[in-house]
């Protein structure tokens, strides 16, 4: 049995033992031929994980299971509903279709709640996994899990350890500490995925939105305590952002500093202290205090004499954070 099917069976067992009503109407799985028939209607390919999840169960009919949330706060779409939704996104007007792509590839919804989705990115031939992304109600895309297997293992362990539980009203609640422990265990590589996506799309789109996407991804992984390894990916991204920060024509330096903060890029943030924009200087100072970069205290202190009061105030806050963190 594959890891994803094992995780799905664990989720099913937990609900059968604790809240059987919520999973009672979950459909049985499809045959490989049935799955092939539905997926053949798509203009792109999906990962092997998608096939495995639908061999396990064909989910629920769309919009017919408001209370049947088993995958955290979402329910599993039937394969037919998922394929129709995905095809709609592909066929939408160009500006809208761009919002439903991950690194330039179409995405395929797996779970939904109201008008939010969890989806996987289209894959190349023979690829077994792909990232799981969250699509918000305003069509913003951000990374959520390393892949479908990681997602299901995270949820299975969270239910078993109390990281996820059902309250008295029947809603799924979260114990943040326990859930974070499971999330870190199965999604340690998610920061590399975020960095890879940025490096792939930045040459074609160097707008502030691209930088903001990276910030959103890194912010989420940092929230769960995922460490960002010091590797070539991080180095390339930091150097790219530093070049942006030094480009006089680029006017979104504040967004760049926010990403450098999430990356704990101390040397780059120190360079930001010399930026012409008061907003960049102030946020760089604040960021250095926030991430406990004690080696930067001297550089931050020098800005106490900055001519702009906004920067002076940020420096005072940063120095206070250094003082409180010792």
């Amino acid at each position: 049995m594959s890891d994803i099917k094992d995780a799905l069976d664990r989720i099913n067992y937990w609900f059968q033992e604790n809240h059987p009503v919520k999973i009672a109407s979950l459909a049985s799985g499809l045959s490989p031929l049935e799955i092939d028939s539905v997926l053949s209607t798509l203009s792109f390919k999906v990962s092997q994980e998608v096939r495995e999840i639908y061999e396990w169960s064909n989910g629920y009919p769309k919009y017919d299971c408001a209370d049947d949330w088993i995958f955290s706060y979402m329910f599993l779409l039937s394969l037919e509903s998922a394929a129709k939704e995905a095809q709609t996104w592909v066929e939408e007007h160009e500006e809208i279709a761009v919002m439903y792509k991950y690194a330039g590839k179409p995405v395929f919804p797996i779970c939904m709640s109201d008008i939010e989705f969890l989806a996987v990115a289209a894959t190349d031939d023979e690829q077994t996994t792909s990232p799981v992304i969250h699509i918000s109600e305003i069509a913003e895309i951000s990374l959520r899990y390393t892949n479908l297997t990681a997602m299901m293992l995270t949820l299975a362990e969270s239910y078993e350890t109390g990281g996820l539980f059902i309250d008295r009203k029947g809603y799924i609640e979260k114990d943040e500490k326990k859930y974070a422990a499971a999330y870190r265990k199965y999604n340690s590589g998610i920061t590399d995925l975020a960095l890879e996506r940025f490096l792939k799309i930045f040459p074609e789109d160097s707008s502030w939105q691209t930088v903001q996407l990276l910030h959103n991804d890194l912010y989420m992984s940092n929230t769960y305590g995922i460490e960002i390894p010091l590797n070539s990916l991080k180095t390339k991204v930091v150097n790219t952002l530093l070049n942006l920060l030094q480009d006089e024509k680029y006017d979104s330096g504040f967004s760049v500093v926010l990403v450098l903060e999430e990356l704990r890029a101390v040397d780059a943030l120190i360079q930001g202290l010399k930026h012409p924009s008061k907003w960049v200087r102030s946020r760089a100072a604040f960021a250095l205090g926030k991430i406990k970069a004690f080696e930067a205290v001297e550089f931050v202190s020098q800005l106490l004499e900055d001519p702009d009061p906004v920067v002076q105030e940020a420096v005072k806050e940063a120095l206070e954070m250094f003082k409180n963190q010792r």
Side-chain angles (χ1 to χ4, degrees):
M1 180 181 294
S2 68
D3 287 343
I4 188 170
K5 287 185 178 178
D6 177 60
L8 289 165
D9 284 345
R10 288 162 58 191
I11 293 171
N12 181 69
Y13 179 80
W14 187 89
F15 274 93
Q16 292 288 359
E17 290 293 306
N18 296 280
H19 298 275
V21 174
K22 280 189 173 292
I23 205 166
S25 56
L26 189 67
S28 58
L30 300 174
S31 71
L33 286 177
E34 289 173 319
I35 293 171
D36 286 341
S37 176
V38 176
L39 293 182
S40 68
T41 65
L42 299 176
S43 57
F44 57 89
K45 297 183 182 297
V46 295
S47 65
Q48 179 62 28
E49 287 176 311
V50 174
R51 295 176 177 278
E52 291 186 276
I53 199 171
Y54 284 107
E55 286 179 9
W56 175 78
S57 169
N58 195 30
Y60 302 90
K62 189 177 178 183
Y63 307 125
D64 193 31
C65 51
D67 297 323
D68 296 325
W69 296 352
I70 61 173
F71 298 125
S72 189
Y73 60 92
M74 295 194 177
F75 65 86
L76 178 65
L77 282 166
S78 70
L79 184 59
E80 297 86 351
S81 295
K84 289 179 181 178
E85 191 75 45
Q87 204 61 36
T88 298
W89 294 346
V90 170
E91 294 169 357
E92 286 285 353
H93 192 267
E94 184 177 357
E95 284 82 358
I96 301 298
V98 168
M99 299 178 186
Y100 293 103
K101 288 186 177 181
Y102 177 85
K105 292 184 176 182
V107 295
F108 184 83
I110 297 294
C111 302
M112 72 169 290
S113 171
D114 297 327
I115 54 175
E116 292 183 275
F117 295 89
L118 288 178
V120 293
T123 66
D124 299 322
D125 290 341
E126 305 304 323
Q127 191 169 334
T128 57
T129 67
S130 64
V132 176
I133 60 174
H134 175 258
I135 303 175
S136 74
E137 58 186 355
I138 56 174
E140 286 185 344
I141 285 182
S142 59
L143 269 172
R144 184 55 58 90
Y145 299 96
T146 305
N147 50 52
L148 267 179
T149 299
M151 172 183 168
M152 297 308 170
L153 287 169
T154 299
L155 297 182
E157 188 155 319
S158 293
Y159 282 122
E160 293 166 350
T161 61
L164 294 171
F165 58 93
I166 312 296
D167 67 13
R168 293 181 179 179
K169 295 181 178 180
Y171 296 114
I172 294 176
E173 298 290 345
K174 184 184 294 183
D175 180 309
E176 294 291 350
K177 186 175 181 180
K178 292 178 180 178
Y179 179 83
Y183 188 91
R184 287 193 298 272
K185 182 175 179 180
Y186 298 110
N187 296 275
S188 59
I190 198 165
T191 54
D192 279 354
L193 288 176
L195 299 178
E196 287 171 356
R197 174 170 70 160
F198 174 79
L199 290 172
K200 182 174 182 177
I201 65 179
F202 181 80
E204 298 179 2
D205 182 4
S206 58
S207 66
W208 68 269
Q209 289 97 330
T210 298
V211 177
Q212 186 62 42
L213 275 175
L214 179 57
H215 173 262
N216 294 345
D217 291 344
L218 294 175
Y219 178 81
M220 192 205 72
S221 60
N222 281 335
T223 298
Y224 290 123
I226 303 285
E227 293 187 7
I228 300 176
L230 181 58
N231 56 23
S232 60
L233 278 175
K234 178 179 177 179
T235 300
K236 289 178 181 177
V237 170
V238 170
N239 288 338
T240 299
L241 294 173
L242 196 52
N243 289 335
L244 272 183
L245 205 58
Q246 295 169 345
D247 185 351
E248 295 180 359
K249 297 179 181 179
Y250 191 77
D251 59 0
S252 298
F254 188 85
S255 297
V256 172
V257 172
L258 291 179
V259 178
L260 292 174
E261 177 185 321
E262 297 297 336
L263 288 169
R264 310 295 198 266
V266 175
D267 291 341
L269 287 170
I270 289 174
Q271 293 193 48
L273 297 173
K274 303 174 183 179
H275 198 274
S277 168
K278 65 180 180 181
W279 304 112
V280 172
R281 296 199 303 278
S282 61
R283 186 63 201 193
F286 185 87
L288 287 164
K290 184 179 177 181
I291 65 175
K292 308 177 185 180
F294 293 108
E295 63 269 43
V297 171
E298 180 181 350
F299 298 99
V300 173
S301 299
Q302 292 172 3
L303 286 188
L304 283 169
E305 305 300 325
D306 192 277
D308 195 286
V310 171
V311 179
Q312 293 176 20
E313 186 61 29
V315 169
K316 291 177 183 177
E317 290 184 48
L319 293 175
E320 190 64 27
M321 284 189 282
F322 282 128
K323 179 180 178 181
N324 294 335
Q325 291 167 355
R326 285 189 181 277

